[in-house]
Amino acid sequence: MKPNYVFILVCCILSISQATVATPAASNGFRVRAVNLGGWLVTEGWMKPSLFDAIPNRDLLDGSTVQFKSVTLGKYLSAEHGGGTILVANKIFAMSSETFRLWRINETTFNFRVHNNQFVGLDTTDGVNLVAVENTPCISETFMILRNSDDPNRVRIKASNGFFLQVKTEELVTADCNGNERWDDDDPSIFIMTTFSAFDGEYQITNGYGPVMAPKVMREHWDTFIVEEDFKWISNNGLNAVRIPLGWWIAYDPNPPKPFVGGSLKTLDNAFLWATKYGLKVLLELHAAPGSQTGFALSASRDGTTGWGIDSISPTVAVIEFLAARYAKNPSLYSIGLMNEPSLWISPETVMSYYKAGYDAVRRHSSTAYVVMATRMGALNVTEFLPFAAQLERAVLDVHLYNFDHWTVHDTINDVYTHCQEVVSAVTTSNGPLSFVAEWTGEWMVPNATKEEYQRFVKAQLEVFDRATFGWAYWTLKHVGNHWSLEWMINNGYINFTASNPISDHLRVSSI
Ligand SMILES: *[C@@H]1O[C@H](CO)[C@@H](O)[C@H](O)[C@H]1NC(C)=O
Ligand SMILES: *[C@@H]1O[C@H](CO)[C@@H](O)[C@H](O)[C@H]1NC(C)=O
Ligand SMILES: *[C@@H]1O[C@H](CO)[C@@H](O)[C@H](O)[C@H]1NC(C)=O
Ligand SMILES: *[C@@H]1O[C@H](CO)[C@@H](O)[C@H](O)[C@H]1NC(C)=O
């Protein structure tokens, strides 16, 4: 969950269908007060950037975008019409047609995906001219980037025929240059490369480290980022559950499809052991569905494409079925979240048919686990799945409420009591599904806020989110950004769930 797309969610105008009063909690009164174990079993680089430090050519990961400016012409390499035909080198400014998304083969070798989604390659008729016509990259669509050791943004690009790209004219780009040892400004095979590395998810880290290093790096991360002591600490600090984001590849452990790495299932097994030992409930949730349901790195998208669709329903249900079968009998399993933040590109009907099939998969193994269904990210109507979920026993509607569209304390806190309050009310009904604020945080946009101001912000949110009948979960336990990190917030006295707090007292005394 990054501020830039959180923004989309919180900016939209909501259509609230009803203003219901806060209603009874789950039939036994229990509500979850959970913390997300984000960035653990599904990588989100912004939470722990150092994880990526040792990747060679770290700025050239899958989904990073690059632009190439010819040193002789002073113009950018461009996919004519955004793709589907030849490459040219005639643009003074770099825009979408001059921007290429990388698919990384290894640290030096890449495919270049153009705006219209084709891959740059050699023209099959002559094997020399550059085109962007293939929808699937093969050998001809594979290029090596050679960087100048003194200036890593000065590059040559070697094609699969063994020759280097050169710009002959603004309309003619070919792969027929022998290359040489020099890096002079009159050499038509030299380009100035600009890189934009926006992507830092599980696909990027595993493919970036490659098949030898990635298993070591990931297992080290799983073993150290969150440990048994953390579960004890969570339990001792007034929380009663953990929400664990998962990637679809966990169902194929220990041999998931490349580039994903096996071993996270054992870590999840450990999480259940520790949760049981320290009396915490486990809320599983599928954060990264096959193909990526958000198009963001956090759902393991390779290059920004939202590949999840109607054809992904059955492989995704298989993942849910796997999780339900494995953990249904575990006393700590409390709920399974079917899919995190589905994109608005996916129709509500497709999401609902998946939710129905995923719900049935859980029910084949458990009659008691709650089944959590997330609202589409940025949906104008936050109750779009409410009538549907109302037909299902022990269903839960999940909304994420971040507050990043104001810059002052007053406006942000005001938004909590208006916007957030309206959303929570809308999804909280007396005879519908339970409501769950599965992600919220103490971070905001207010610059240089004081500790007291942060405390007021958190208190306001708790006041509102405590009305959600299933409960809430803070994003997240550990994070390099202090206010995103619940561990830091508690250890530094910004939040204390064990101190006397009239707002939340009723929650603490309830038992499961
Ligand atoms: C990268 O892949 C290319 C093409 O398969 C290969 O020729 C090259 O040796 C590889 N480089 C490294 C560093 O593995
Ligand atoms: C939101 O969606 C639900 C379910 O389709 C529908 O019942 C409700 O009328 C919608 N609300 C608005 C304001 O469109
Ligand atoms: C916040 O603090 C920094 C560092 O002390 C300062 O440079 C900056 O101007 C401050 N910003 C505002 C909006 O007060
Ligand atoms: C939270 O408050 C309780 C009761 O006032 C206190 O004992 C505890 O030390 C506090 N926790 C932290 C981390 O400050």
Side-chain angles (χ1 to χ4, degrees), residues 237 490-491 493 495-496 498-500:
N237 277 283
I490 289 180
N491 286 339
I495 302 182
N496 187 339
T498 62
S500 173

Side-chain angles (χ1 to χ4, degrees), residues 112-185:
F112 301 125
R113 199 172 198 186
V114 302
H115 181 69
N116 296 346
N117 287 332
Q118 299 92 342
F119 292 87
V120 176
L122 299 176
D123 188 341
T124 47
T125 57
D126 57 32
V128 168
N129 287 0
L130 270 287
V131 292
V133 294
E134 294 295 334
N135 292 312
T136 309
C138 294
I139 301 288
S140 299
E141 284 70 46
T142 301
F143 297 89
M144 193 178 277
I145 298 178
L146 280 91
R147 304 182 107 159
N148 178 349
S149 50
D150 297 328
D151 177 359
N153 291 327
R154 223 171 157 80
V155 301
R156 280 199 176 85
I157 305 166
K158 193 177 189 177
S160 56
N161 62 9
F163 292 96
F164 291 93
L165 266 56
Q166 60 177 328
V167 288
K168 290 206 168 128
T169 69
E170 291 192 4
E171 275 74 42
L172 186 60
V173 184
T174 55
D176 55 359
C177 170
N178 284 313
N180 60 58
E181 299 298 303
R182 302 178 45 189
W183 292 89
D184 299 338
D185 277 344

Side-chain angles (χ1 to χ4, degrees), residues 284-433:
L284 295 180
E285 70 105 4
L286 188 61
H287 215 61
S292 176
Q293 81 284 11
T294 68
F296 295 115
L298 65 86
S299 63
S301 177
R302 182 170 192 175
D303 69 358
T305 309
T306 305
W308 195 94
I310 204 145
D311 296 339
S312 317
I313 292 178
S314 95
T316 313
V317 170
V319 175
I320 298 298
E321 183 108 40
F322 169 85
L323 293 169
R326 190 174 183 91
Y327 298 111
K329 301 285 177 296
N330 192 300
S332 298
L333 179 72
Y334 194 64
S335 66
I336 296 183
L338 297 178
M339 187 157 73
N340 187 57
E341 298 176 353
S343 163
L344 273 185
W345 295 111
I346 307 168
S347 76
E349 291 70 29
T350 302
V351 175
M352 278 188 278
S353 30
Y354 164 62
Y355 282 171
K356 180 63 172 70
Y359 178 89
D360 292 343
V362 175
R363 285 287 166 264
R364 282 194 281 277
H365 302 276
S366 169
S367 57
T368 53
Y370 286 94
V371 182
V372 178
M373 303 174 192
T375 307
R376 287 183 307 154
M377 188 65 182
L380 288 179
N381 180 355
V382 292
T383 62
E384 61 181 1
F385 300 138
L386 198 150
F388 162 76
Q391 304 161 24
L392 305 169
E393 286 290 310
R394 298 171 88 85
V396 179
L397 267 192
D398 162 355
V399 290
H400 297 178
L401 288 166
Y402 292 94
N403 290 276
F404 292 111
D405 48 358
H406 294 289
W407 297 81
T408 66
V409 176
H410 173 269
D411 288 353
T412 310
I413 291 182
N414 188 50
D415 232 29
V416 171
Y417 287 119
T418 54
H419 168 84
C420 293
Q421 163 80 57
E422 283 168 9
V423 174
V424 172
S425 294
V427 295
T428 304
T429 53
S430 50
N431 50 5

Side-chain angles (χ1 to χ4, degrees), residues 12-28:
C12 57
I13 303 146
L14 285 158
S15 333
I16 305 301
S17 54
Q18 70 253 71
T20 34
V21 287
T23 45
S27 54
N28 60 4

